[in-house]
Amino acid sequence: MAKDQPLVIEPNRCNCTALRKAARKVSLFYDSALAPCGLKSTQYAVLSEVYRRAEAPPTIRELAEALVMDQSTLGQNLRPLEREGLVALVQDDADRRSRRVELTRAGRSRFAAARPLWASAQQRFENGFGADAAAELRSVLVTIAGNSLLAADAWTSPS
């Protein structure tokens, strides 16, 4: 590119910006649906993952990996849930340095109250976006989330 030519960025060409815009829009949609039970979509995701793993509660690291979060971000998300008594951080019997995340009775109750609100939002999203398109979107997003080439350390690792 010549030195005096300005860099032209096409509108809506940045994958990151497009994903972030969509994520904010969808998060606001689900946050609004979950508001009657006092949860945000991020909190619902945490409770949902912990609920799924009730037989073998995840460590903080396992939960962070499952949610594609770093542990400090997960910690920030867990604090209000712990303050409200929805989750408990329990010392791991096998590794006393690790803590496992468990739903409390109040957490199970709040999650049960949130599930129909989430299901309604899910159905409204699929009705508006199309069930097939929503399934395809989830498939693409899960593929992106699991792509090791997009890891934060991919820029510093030798290729």
Side-chain angles (χ1 to χ4, degrees), residues 21-150:
K21 285 180 181 180
R24 282 192 293 273
K25 183 94 172 193
V26 172
S27 291
L28 288 170
F29 175 77
Y30 279 84
D31 285 350
S32 176
L34 292 167
C37 71
L39 291 176
K40 298 277 190 190
S41 57
T42 51
Q43 295 172 317
Y44 181 84
V46 170
L47 294 180
S48 180
E49 189 64 31
V50 174
Y51 177 82
R52 270 195 288 279
R53 295 166 172 246
E55 294 298 317
T59 63
I60 291 175
R61 184 165 59 117
E62 291 167 344
L63 186 56
E65 287 172 4
L67 295 169
V68 191
M69 286 184 178
D70 61 61
Q71 290 183 47
S72 64
T73 301
L74 177 60
Q76 292 170 356
N77 282 275
L78 285 173
R79 275 198 253 351
L81 296 173
E82 191 177 20
R83 256 192 322 269
E84 289 186 50
L86 303 180
V87 299
L89 302 181
V90 179
Q91 192 172 51
D92 187 339
D93 292 333
D95 179 359
R96 300 181 76 57
R97 295 169 297 169
S98 293
R99 293 180 298 161
R100 295 200 173 268
V101 184
E102 297 180 356
L103 282 182
T104 63
R105 178 176 290 147
R108 287 189 298 277
S109 177
R110 180 82 65 92
F111 181 66
R115 285 181 80 173
L117 300 172
W118 173 87
S120 177
Q122 186 80 350
Q123 190 61 55
R124 285 184 55 210
F125 181 89
E126 291 190 3
N127 289 345
F129 195 67
D132 290 341
E136 185 177 340
L137 175 64
R138 281 190 306 276
S139 176
V140 168
L141 294 173
V142 166
T143 299
I144 290 170
N147 189 325
S148 62
L149 295 176
L150 298 177

